[in-house]
Amino acid sequence: MGLEEMEIPHEVRGRVLAWRAEGLSVGLVPTMGALHEGHLSLVRASVAQCERTVVSVFVNPTQFPEGEDLQRYPRRPQEDAEKLRAAGADLIFRPGEEVMYCEDACTSVVQEGLPEMLCGAHRPGHFRGVLTVVAKLFNIACPDRAYFGRKDFQQSVLICRMVRDLNFAVEVRVMPTVREHDGLAMSSRNEYLSPAQRRQAVCLFEALRLGRRLFNEGEVDPEPVKEAMRELIERHPEAEPQYVEIVRPDDLRAVERITRESVACLAVFVGEARLIDNMPFGPVDDIFVEPPPERAEITG
Ligand code: AMP
């Protein structure tokens, strides 16, 4: 079976319901496109665990607060389709904006508390946009399972809470963060980085690793750990931390004492690019991709 492309919600629903009527399980991977190995790891997980895989590609305007990079966000439909075909996806849902949002739409998913923490404090309306589009995608694609990346930690927590609170009949699976060989978490926004900024962007990962090391050496007070992480980031001239927090994974509240369950979360501007990353203080199952061959020679 080849890779099908659809733009119309009820056609997607029709196809998925036909699959499910045949007894086939269906996985959904929501994305904004410009696909990289992080996205493809979710697609491969779905292909391995479900009999059919739907991938949505939609740069959702409602999750970009005023003044953010909506216009500039990379769009590469052809390349995305090729990657999805190679990864074994069955259906791409690529709706236009007018198909997703009626002009007089007036209903959205509003969560209380959690969306105001971490990124939400700096990106007003962002999570309302995310939760609303994810709820719509669940209703359009009717998946058995949906796959999200832990790289967007707060997003995954909010989506799990929405699914629980609103009884969506979807099983959410949150998958490990995929990193470049030097530790930078893969992100479509890494494309904004100049070569010099790209080298400095590894400071997010290094700060997270430093936090873990300090904890492993016995420090459980979050303040000196956050301070040391911040200082490490600020030593990079193009990097400007927006927040560095250590939180509980369930309610995203700042911890008073670090435990193995705590998660360090940060957002850092590197030049114009706003990058986020996170790491638990307990076991980590991040995936590192191989360096491209020419780079492997340089770095030995
Ligand atoms: P996006 O296209 O940025 O909205 O991301 C779509 C999905 O891919 C989200 O569930 C992200 O958390 C996930 N994702 C993005 N980058 C990574 C990564 N480096 N590792 C794992 N998952 C990722």
Side-chain angles (χ1 to χ4, degrees):
M1 246 197 49
L3 175 67
E4 246 184 305
E5 290 203 35
M6 292 185 180
E7 294 178 5
I8 309 297
H10 72 83
E11 290 178 4
V12 174
R13 188 186 289 128
R15 174 71 80 256
V16 171
L17 292 181
W19 283 334
R20 292 186 62 164
E22 288 176 50
L24 301 172
S25 58
V26 178
L28 169 69
V29 183
T31 80
M32 297 205 297
L35 302 178
H36 51 64
E37 277 302 309
H39 300 113
L40 295 175
S41 71
L42 307 182
V43 176
R44 292 192 197 105
S46 173
V47 168
Q49 295 166 14
C50 307
E51 284 148 311
R52 295 288 181 269
T53 291
V54 181
V55 180
S56 60
V57 176
F58 179 54
V59 182
N60 175 34
T62 67
Q63 70 187 67
F64 288 77
E66 200 63 35
E68 285 197 5
D69 56 341
L70 173 61
Q71 304 307 326
R72 190 182 176 200
Y73 199 85
R75 290 159 172 89
R76 278 197 296 273
Q78 235 127 44
E79 238 181 277
D80 287 350
E82 278 157 31
K83 289 178 179 174
L84 291 175
R85 187 170 294 115
D90 299 283
L91 174 58
I92 306 183
F93 174 44
R94 207 198 301 273
E97 194 181 324
E98 66 297 338
V99 171
M100 282 300 267
Y101 296 108
C102 298
E103 229 169 81
D104 58 351
C106 57
T107 311
S108 59
V109 178
V110 178
Q111 215 171 47
E112 277 156 31
L114 295 176
E116 281 115 60
M117 326 290 279
L118 303 174
C119 288
H122 304 274
R123 305 185 72 193
H126 168 68
F127 286 115
R128 178 182 183 143
V130 169
L131 293 175
T132 303
V133 82
V134 169
K136 287 165 70 70
L137 291 168
F138 286 175
N139 284 331
I140 291 165
C142 307
D144 296 278
R145 303 187 190 105
Y147 293 81
F148 295 90
R150 195 171 305 134
K151 174 196 171 250
D152 297 279
F153 173 66
Q154 182 175 17
Q155 170 175 288
S156 68
V157 170
L158 271 60
I159 288 169
C160 290
R161 192 66 75 89
M162 174 183 80
V163 164
R164 187 200 73 181
D165 290 350
L166 299 183
N167 301 87
F168 277 97
V170 179
E171 183 195 332
V172 172
R173 296 203 170 165
V174 181
M175 308 305 290
T177 298
V178 179
R179 299 181 178 280
E180 303 279 4
H181 64 283
D182 64 354
L184 175 64
M186 297 193 114
S187 163
S188 308
R189 290 191 168 96
N190 293 349
E191 293 180 21
Y192 299 156
L193 301 169
S194 69
Q197 291 165 347
R198 169 64 189 82
R199 285 191 292 277
Q200 294 180 35
V202 75
C203 72
L204 282 84
F205 176 68
E206 283 172 354
L208 293 166
R209 264 206 324 199
L210 171 64
R212 273 177 69 86
R213 202 182 73 221
L214 294 173
F215 172 68
N216 287 333
E217 287 168 3
E219 182 59 82
V220 293
D221 181 349
E223 292 312 320
V225 174
K226 287 194 287 190
E227 197 43 46
M229 292 170 67
R230 216 170 233 287
E231 274 172 17
L232 183 151
I233 294 164
E234 284 167 347
R235 282 204 295 274
H236 298 75
E238 302 236 29
E240 165 92 34
Q242 186 177 56
Y243 68 77
V244 176
E245 294 292 348
I246 299 177
V247 302
R248 302 196 303 206
D250 47 352
D251 60 11
L252 306 179
R253 283 190 190 283
V255 298
E256 281 167 19
R257 190 187 150 83
I258 306 174
T259 69
R260 285 164 63 81
E261 280 66 49
S262 310
V263 182
C265 299
L266 40 81
V268 177
F269 278 98
V270 182
E272 303 256 291
R274 181 181 179 279
L275 306 180
I276 58 171
D277 204 346
N278 70 90
M279 202 178 275
F281 286 86
V284 174
D285 58 359
D286 296 352
I287 296 163
F288 289 75
V289 299
E290 294 291 319
E294 67 277 19
R295 217 179 155 93
E297 277 166 35
I298 298 164
T299 56

